Amino acid sequence: MLKLVAPAVASSLAKVINCSIINSTCPAQLKLARVTLIYKQGSKSDLDNYRPISVLPVISNILEKHVCKHFIAFLTNQDLLYKCQSGFRANHSCETILVKITDEWLEVMDKGLFTGVVMIDLRKAFDVVDHKLLLKKFQVYGLNTNSLKWFQSYLSGRYQKVCVDGTLSEPLGIHFGVPQGSILGPALFLLFINDLPLVLKNNIGIYADDSTLYTSAPTLAEVEEKIRPDIDAVSMWAKENKMKMHPAKTKYSIILTRQKIANSAKQSLDLSVDGMQLTKVESERVSGVYIDSHLTWNKHIDTLRRKLLQRIAILSRARKYIPAKYRLLLYNASIKPLFTYCCTVRSNCSQTNLDELFKLQKRCAGLILDSPRDARSYDNFQKLKGLPVDQLFKLNKIGLLKKVIDGRARNT
């Protein structure tokens, strides 16, 4: 609607935005959020099993987008952001950080070294950001007085109303956390967590609040000795920044070949947070991709296969009611992204895994075209102007390489 009426309201909105910036004041009307709770899983009586979806006035997006653009540009031009932070930044993505860390693990695996990986979980990270600490960090990073005043105004005096069964609650003040559902909130969190790597001696890959700490050594005893101080440092950093590590959700894995780990006398690491022992896992989800301890991608492909079967079943039912061109749209919108998401990271999976994915891809092509089961898959892909899954992976890998060469992909 705003786009439709832009010729009539653009000048007025520009005046409001400029007035807000000049006077270092964020309008109070833009700081009231409507929150809807979305059930995830588990007991419905447990509030932790609900995801709060916060919606702010649409006009606030225009102001926040303008401020966010210049704020990120300032941090980027001054080279203030940690180089391995891939969240909410141009030329960065889940794919770039995953390619970087998994390539490093594969390289040390080829050398016969052990890699200890700790997947750090900060409890409710976005919701517990302390505003006073955040403003102090703004000052340290060199924001001028007017900018500090605007951000102070933006963070203060915020309210939210919770909507349940169509009924709104009374407004409740928000005194902690970056504004959920906002454009500027993620950028503020990037700056808040930006100094975490400074307390560490080993490598860490970060996507927003998902932090993956890792180090390599010839023996597991050495890995344990190297990584334990960093876990303590992260825990101390969290406490100093009024956050808290989640020991039950912070897990670790050992990356190495099956033969090397089988011949090792030590099979696990003695790691803990606040006296609670960390759990060792054979595979764990990192930025939407399941990474297993041998980098075979079997767990991820198996999970992906189950998701694909569910969506292919929807496509199968829909083919009775919609023509082929709309089935193709459905495939491109809900099924193809599952094939291509971070596919360059797992493109070195086994031929067996590729064959499993190719069978599902052929099934999709047959459903879209209503072709018989014995039809040649090559002909179906030609009609749909698509590529088999192995070639699709290669194409995406070439595309990422081109982005790296052109400077449009970082951290890889």
Side-chain angles (χ1 to χ4, degrees), residues 37-53:
L37 299 178
I38 304 298
Y39 171 70
K40 294 188 291 185
Q41 60 182 359
S43 172
K44 291 190 176 182
S45 61
D46 186 351
L47 292 179
D48 286 337
N49 293 329
Y50 291 83
R51 185 185 302 280
I53 304 299

Side-chain angles (χ1 to χ4, degrees), residues 283-301:
S283 65
E284 184 65 13
R285 190 179 183 189
V286 179
S287 298
V289 175
Y290 282 94
I291 297 178
D292 61 85
S293 57
H294 307 302
L295 298 183
T296 63
W297 311 108
N298 290 338
K299 174 64 181 293
H300 182 80
I301 299 298

Side-chain angles (χ1 to χ4, degrees), residues 181-230:
S182 66
I183 291 176
L184 195 51
L188 301 184
F189 184 81
L190 289 190
L191 186 136
F192 188 83
I193 202 174
N194 194 53
D195 58 326
L196 171 59
L198 298 179
V199 304
L200 305 176
K201 294 181 179 179
N202 294 299
N203 297 315
I204 188 170
I206 308 178
Y207 186 88
D209 61 329
D210 290 339
S211 304
T212 306
L213 176 67
Y214 58 98
T215 189
S216 302
T219 66
L220 282 180
E222 291 177 77
V223 169
E224 185 180 293
E225 185 179 351
K226 289 174 68 175
I227 208 165
R228 189 184 288 164
D230 274 357

Side-chain angles (χ1 to χ4, degrees), residues 117-164:
V117 180
V118 179
M119 286 70 76
I120 297 168
D121 186 275
L122 296 173
R123 192 191 299 266
K124 305 285 185 183
F126 280 78
D127 298 330
V128 298
V129 171
D130 184 272
H131 292 171
K132 290 182 180 179
L133 280 174
L134 179 58
L135 291 170
K136 285 182 180 178
K137 293 187 179 187
F138 281 149
Q139 196 168 8
V140 170
Y141 281 105
L143 270 71
N144 61 36
T145 303
N146 289 337
S147 298
L148 286 171
K149 287 181 178 178
W150 188 92
F151 279 112
Q152 184 174 16
S153 173
Y154 173 80
L155 292 168
S156 64
R158 303 195 75 90
Y159 292 88
Q160 66 181 23
K161 292 183 178 182
V162 179
C163 181
V164 178

Side-chain angles (χ1 to χ4, degrees), residues 94-349:
C94 294
E95 187 172 38
T96 59
I97 190 63
L98 286 172
V99 166
K100 179 184 185 300
I101 62 178
T102 55
D103 275 2
E104 290 181 11
W105 298 345
L106 286 167
E107 184 177 351
V108 297
M109 184 186 288
D110 288 341
K111 295 177 182 178
L113 302 178
F114 292 86
T115 301
V117 180
V118 179
M119 286 70 76
I120 297 168
D121 186 275
L122 296 173
R123 192 191 299 266
K124 305 285 185 183
F126 280 78
D127 298 330
V128 298
V129 171
D130 184 272
H131 292 171
K132 290 182 180 179
L133 280 174
L134 179 58
L135 291 170
K136 285 182 180 178
K137 293 187 179 187
F138 281 149
Q139 196 168 8
V140 170
Y141 281 105
L143 270 71
N144 61 36
T145 303
N146 289 337
S147 298
L148 286 171
K149 287 181 178 178
W150 188 92
F151 279 112
Q152 184 174 16
S153 173
Y154 173 80
L155 292 168
S156 64
R158 303 195 75 90
Y159 292 88
Q160 66 181 23
K161 292 183 178 182
V162 179
C163 181
V164 178
D165 295 331
T167 302
L168 282 172
S169 69
E170 292 297 316
L172 179 69
I174 304 173
H175 306 294
F176 297 93
V178 296
Q180 296 289 333
S182 66
I183 291 176
L184 195 51
L188 301 184
F189 184 81
L190 289 190
L191 186 136
F192 188 83
I193 202 174
N194 194 53
D195 58 326
L196 171 59
L198 298 179
V199 304
L200 305 176
K201 294 181 179 179
N202 294 299
N203 297 315
I204 188 170
I206 308 178
Y207 186 88
D209 61 329
D210 290 339
S211 304
T212 306
L213 176 67
Y214 58 98
T215 189
S216 302
T219 66
L220 282 180
E222 291 177 77
V223 169
E224 185 180 293
E225 185 179 351
K226 289 174 68 175
I227 208 165
R228 189 184 288 164
D230 274 357
I231 295 174
D232 295 337
V234 172
S235 180
M236 182 61 67
W237 178 91
K239 290 174 182 177
E240 291 174 351
N241 286 271
K242 299 184 179 181
M243 288 186 165
K244 189 175 181 181
M245 286 182 68
H246 201 316
K249 293 186 177 180
T250 297
K251 302 172 183 177
Y252 79 90
S253 184
I254 301 170
I255 306 293
L256 200 62
T257 60
R258 286 189 176 91
Q259 296 80 3
K260 186 78 175 180
I261 195 69
N263 296 330
S264 174
K266 190 177 179 66
Q267 299 287 326
S268 60
L269 303 176
D270 183 16
L271 304 174
S272 61
V273 174
D274 297 333
M276 185 179 292
Q277 204 73 14
L278 298 187
T279 304
K280 179 187 175 183
V281 293
E282 293 301 319
S283 65
E284 184 65 13
R285 190 179 183 189
V286 179
S287 298
V289 175
Y290 282 94
I291 297 178
D292 61 85
S293 57
H294 307 302
L295 298 183
T296 63
W297 311 108
N298 290 338
K299 174 64 181 293
H300 182 80
I301 299 298
D302 187 51
T303 305
L304 175 61
R305 182 175 170 275
R306 289 198 297 270
K307 287 184 179 180
L308 287 168
L309 286 172
Q310 292 174 353
R311 300 193 185 185
I312 290 171
I314 295 173
L315 178 62
S316 179
R317 291 194 293 270
R319 69 170 176 165
K320 301 175 183 178
Y321 308 103
I322 59 176
K325 66 176 182 179
Y326 295 116
R327 286 178 234 152
L328 180 59
L329 286 176
L330 179 60
Y331 167 81
N332 287 332
S334 66
I335 299 177
K336 186 178 178 181
L338 293 180
F339 282 111
T340 57
Y341 177 73
C342 288
C343 64
T344 54
V345 180
R346 50 185 166 83
S347 59
N348 63 334
C349 64

